[in-house]
Amino acid sequence: MRALVIDHAAPTHLAMAEVPDPVPGPDEALVRVEAVSLNYGEVADAARDGAPDGAVIGWDAAGVVVRPAADGSGPPEGARVTTLGHTGWAELRAVPASLTGTVPDGADPGAAATLPVAGLTALQVLRRLGQVVGRRIMVTGATGGVGRFAVQLAARAGAQVVAISRDPASEAALRALGADEVRTAAADVRGPVAGVVDNVGGPTLVDAFAALEAGGTLVNVGRTAEAASVLPTDALNAYGGRHDRSIRTFYLLGEPVPDFSGDLSWLAAEVASGRLDPGIVRRAPWTRHEEAARTLLDGRLRGKAVLDVE
């Protein structure tokens, strides 16, 4: 089969190649991939020589089950699915039922492919913030894949959403997604927030943490700033209503790996119905992967990049 593999001689460290078909385990379905989406972390890791030449990578992929799991778990043959794993940028992928969500018939596979990392991450992080109805929630990096989903889901849950984007031109789009306030920097936010979904790290994390009210939580998801988060000496002082604040790390595929099948299926239904915007801003055949990866690495992407597998 064909796949996108690591090639450190290529400009974006990705190239098309022939690789062996995957061999599913007893609890894994074989899926014919129709579309994949790119995430900053996996593309950046490839560019940093983080994987050997010839390795198939890719977290997000949507397609059709061509061989159900031998143990009877998961969706049947012919089911349309969205899947999460580590080797998705290929014509075929083997994936367990716990990382597979069903997609409504007729739904766009490209839209479904945006969900596994970005949609699940936004959903899981908001749950870590606890009850958000009527509370003020900050989302940094709000125009990115996770950020866009977090703005929408937080607004749907009844939060007052403060969206942070360094691009002033994104204000109208973020308000359309449900943001109540839009700022170009976390330091510009006036008044405390109850929780933060931080997709940026670096100085933005420091400023967002300073905005937390007592008992507030910041969950760091991404570090696109690629800079250190240096807290000032008084950042952890607990007086003046600043007590019990916390910074939490996040990893989607912890141990044991959670069963995300229900959440993926729900997200897919929300996107298919039009109640959730996948935010696809670049779409092309997967043979044009290089320009999509370069745009992502350059920080010029305000949403999701999708590649259709031909």
Side-chain angles (χ1 to χ4, degrees):
M1 69 173 183
R2 292 180 302 165
L4 287 178
V5 303
I6 298 293
D7 180 354
H8 295 303
T12 57
H13 298 246
L14 292 171
M16 192 76 71
E18 287 287 336
V19 301
D21 290 357
V23 178
D27 64 338
E28 293 181 325
L30 188 65
V31 175
R32 174 171 53 81
V33 176
E34 297 180 320
V36 303
S37 72
L38 279 61
N39 297 283
Y40 177 84
E42 59 198 339
V43 177
D45 286 346
R48 295 189 189 104
D49 297 341
D53 281 341
V56 180
I57 63 170
W59 298 330
D60 296 342
V64 178
V65 175
V66 294
R67 189 189 309 160
D71 66 359
S73 62
E77 181 179 355
R80 309 193 72 83
V81 292
T82 180
T83 64
L84 174 64
H86 296 289
T87 58
W89 295 349
E91 291 178 310
L92 295 169
R93 112 177 294 185
V95 62
S98 61
L99 300 179
T100 303
T102 56
V103 176
D105 288 340
D108 176 13
T114 66
L115 295 171
V117 168
L120 276 178
T121 295
L123 185 62
Q124 299 300 317
V125 170
L126 286 170
R127 286 175 178 167
R128 282 160 171 73
L129 295 182
Q131 180 62 262
V132 300
V133 174
R135 303 175 75 194
R136 202 162 173 239
I137 301 298
M138 182 191 297
V139 179
T140 70
T143 56
V146 175
R148 285 178 54 92
F149 281 123
V151 168
Q152 294 177 80
L153 293 171
R156 287 266 300 274
Q160 298 174 359
V161 181
V162 182
I164 309 299
S165 170
R166 61 183 180 182
D167 180 11
S170 66
E171 179 171 356
L174 288 170
R175 287 189 180 276
L177 294 178
D180 298 282
E181 305 172 47
V182 181
R183 301 285 183 266
T184 55
D188 296 336
V189 175
R190 298 291 175 261
V193 298
V196 177
V197 181
D198 176 41
N199 296 292
V200 179
T204 295
L205 182 151
V206 177
D207 293 335
F209 181 68
L212 278 179
E213 65 184 28
T217 299
L218 179 152
V219 181
N220 176 249
V221 177
R223 287 157 290 284
T224 57
E226 297 191 349
S229 301
V230 182
L231 296 169
T233 54
D234 65 343
L236 300 181
N237 287 341
Y239 55 77
R242 305 171 72 197
H243 56 283
D244 293 334
R245 297 170 301 142
S246 61
I247 297 175
R248 296 185 62 180
T249 56
F250 175 81
Y251 182 56
L252 185 61
L253 294 174
E255 293 292 342
V257 176
D259 185 342
F260 287 131
S261 58
D263 287 340
L264 281 170
S265 298
W266 180 80
L267 288 166
E270 293 300 291
V271 167
S273 69
R275 291 187 293 269
L276 197 60
D277 180 2
I280 300 172
V281 295
R282 175 178 282 272
R283 188 164 188 172
W286 71 332
T287 51
R288 294 171 56 189
H289 58 86
E290 186 173 305
E291 55 194 270
R294 185 177 292 112
T295 303
L296 193 63
L297 291 172
D298 289 347
R300 293 181 282 126
L301 207 62
R302 299 290 183 264
K304 292 294 294 181
V306 168
L307 300 177
D308 293 302
V309 177
E310 301 168 316

